[in-house]
Amino acid sequence: EDGGRAGDGRERKCGSDAEAEEEPEDGGRAEDGRERKCGSDAEAEEEPEDGGRAGDGAGDGAAAGASRAANLREEGENARHAIPSMPDCFRLSVDLVVEICKEAVAAGVFGVALFPAVDNDAKDELATESVNPDGLLQRCVRAIKTATPDIVVITDVAMDPYSTQGHDGFVTEDGRIDNEKTVPILTAMAVAQAKAGADIVAPSDMMDGRVAAIRKALDEAGFLDVGICSYCCKYCSAFYGPFRDALDSAPKGGGKHTYQMDPANSREALVELRLDEEEGADWVMVKPGMPYLDIVRLVRDNTQLPVAIYHVSGEYAMLKAAAAQGWLNYDSCLLEALTSMRRAGANIIFTYAAIHAAKLLKEQRA
């Protein structure tokens, strides 16, 4: 209804790319002049963020560009639980994640992105478990850096794994996401992750102003060398669906369309890119992957920063499902998919098939 633009001409979170004429009542901005989140969280269709394991039990990463592995962690020891909608992917306890990281390094995957599967009794409305120095994520980071000190550890900054509401931001009594109340929670979370040893913190929440706030908090805490991978262009996608089997963090009410981007809107990508560059992002990410290669090219052509892309759970699951039916060759299609991301301009690829892809590439070069 608002045509996708705030009153000052900047694109809003919910608009499409089709119209740009009508001005919203609040002008699309908060009192401090930053872009406001629009709409209410009334819908319940949107999937939560991806986070899981590589198809071989490894993490996200790979292809012809830089490799990143994403690991789902849970409490306990020697715990390995399959994710039904993501064949060959598992939630692992910290000790097994460490073993996967060793395998990743040996295969040539030099980064791992971590996503915690937090016990429900540790969740609350303010995500306080996220700053627990002995929490699951922090223990996992320390264990990985002890065992494989050279691997780049990337930690997710968002409230949803720790929140009883399952949203990336703080949910008000009337069901809206409070941007201003969320940002301090995210900054404290990022500092706690840096204290544990994270090399890169990755805010995936899509709140306004969080990159600048996190950069300031990290610097003030003495973590000048901890980088920020901003989920700069994170679309409100149905391709995140299989993650629900991985992390039990689906929104308890409403969807994420008020703070993630409209899939029909390409122009907003440049708005978000400019803001995150100005706020101090070190990398910028486009998510999902293959359905948004045009956005990857758009971002690549308009920034000098490294560009990451996320080959998300739905993309991975489709390849696995089709291969299981004998309809396509998984290995060939996986490498073709990852190569398309590299060709579009991605420097860094997050994929659930990181270790497997890295091994395939080594075989090709042999």
Side-chain angles (χ1 to χ4, degrees):
E1 292 180 3
D2 64 25
R5 285 192 171 272
D8 60 352
R10 284 175 54 190
E11 295 177 18
R12 290 168 61 89
K13 297 292 183 188
C14 301
S16 75
D17 241 358
E19 305 168 284
E21 300 296 328
E22 196 170 325
E23 178 173 328
E25 293 181 3
D26 64 11
R29 288 187 169 275
E31 293 180 0
D32 59 358
R34 290 209 317 270
E35 186 179 280
R36 293 173 58 90
K37 305 298 180 186
C38 62
S40 71
D41 267 335
E43 300 179 10
E45 293 300 327
E46 199 206 344
E47 268 88 17
E49 333 316 327
D50 287 33
R53 314 248 48 244
D56 49 4
D60 272 1
S67 301
R68 299 287 169 205
N71 293 284
L72 287 170
R73 299 158 328 289
E74 61 179 39
E75 296 288 359
E77 294 183 1
N78 197 33
R80 181 184 180 93
H81 294 101
I83 301 168
S85 59
M86 300 177 67
D88 301 322
C89 292
F90 305 90
R91 289 193 327 199
L92 303 177
S93 54
V94 171
D95 55 324
L96 295 186
V97 171
V98 169
E99 295 306 310
I100 287 293
C101 289
K102 293 177 181 178
E103 183 182 354
V105 171
V109 177
F110 65 80
V112 58
L114 303 174
F115 299 84
V118 178
D119 290 340
N120 286 332
D121 59 7
K123 298 179 181 181
D124 60 28
E125 293 184 354
L126 295 174
T128 53
E129 178 65 14
S130 66
V131 298
N132 179 1
D134 294 317
L136 176 61
L137 177 65
Q138 284 83 345
R139 287 186 282 112
C140 192
V141 172
R142 290 195 294 268
I144 292 171
K145 296 304 286 186
T146 298
T148 53
D150 293 332
I151 200 168
V152 176
V153 174
I154 306 163
T155 50
D156 181 58
V157 179
M159 288 183 64
D160 54 328
Y162 310 95
S163 169
T164 49
Q165 298 295 325
H167 273 284
D168 294 18
F170 179 81
V171 182
T172 64
E173 291 184 359
D174 61 355
R176 295 177 64 86
I177 303 300
D178 188 330
N179 191 101
E180 307 312 311
K181 190 163 186 175
T182 300
V183 171
I185 296 172
L186 300 177
T187 58
M189 189 184 307
V191 171
Q193 294 171 356
K195 288 179 179 178
D199 299 295
I200 302 286
V201 295
S204 63
D205 56 285
M206 289 299 288
M207 298 297 117
D208 291 330
R210 91 279 202 207
V211 173
I214 290 172
R215 183 71 272 161
K216 182 174 184 290
L218 289 172
D219 290 351
E220 289 178 349
F223 297 108
L224 280 70
D225 294 332
V226 172
I228 299 175
C229 171
S230 170
Y231 282 61
C232 175
C233 303
K234 184 177 182 179
Y235 283 85
C236 185
S237 172
F239 283 93
Y240 304 146
F243 182 80
R244 286 181 171 170
D245 289 329
L247 268 199
D248 188 27
S249 62
K252 299 302 185 288
K256 298 188 177 183
H257 63 285
T258 64
Y259 50 95
Q260 293 181 358
M261 293 168 59
D262 182 350
N265 194 332
S266 62
R267 294 173 299 181
E268 188 180 6
L270 294 181
V271 175
E272 298 291 349
L273 172 63
R274 175 176 58 81
L275 290 171
D276 287 0
E277 281 187 321
E278 291 175 352
E279 291 180 20
D282 297 288
W283 305 348
V284 290
M285 180 189 286
V286 175
K287 180 183 180 183
M290 284 186 67
Y292 294 87
L293 295 183
D294 59 320
I295 305 300
V296 175
R297 173 48 57 186
L298 181 65
V299 171
R300 174 70 285 156
D301 289 344
N302 286 277
T303 186
Q304 297 301 309
L305 294 178
V307 177
I309 188 172
Y310 206 135
H311 185 224
V312 302
S313 62
E315 299 173 70
Y316 169 85
M318 288 192 300
L319 288 178
K320 279 291 186 177
Q325 294 294 323
W327 295 337
L328 53 75
N329 181 288
Y330 174 73
D331 289 354
S332 297
C333 290
L334 171 64
L335 290 185
E336 185 174 343
L338 300 181
T339 298
S340 74
M341 299 174 191
R342 180 66 167 165
R343 186 181 65 241
N347 305 104
I348 302 160
I349 299 175
F350 288 64
T351 173
Y352 295 96
I355 292 178
H356 186 65
K359 289 178 178 177
L360 291 175
L361 291 172
K362 280 191 173 182
E363 289 175 3
Q364 287 185 355
R365 299 186 186 110

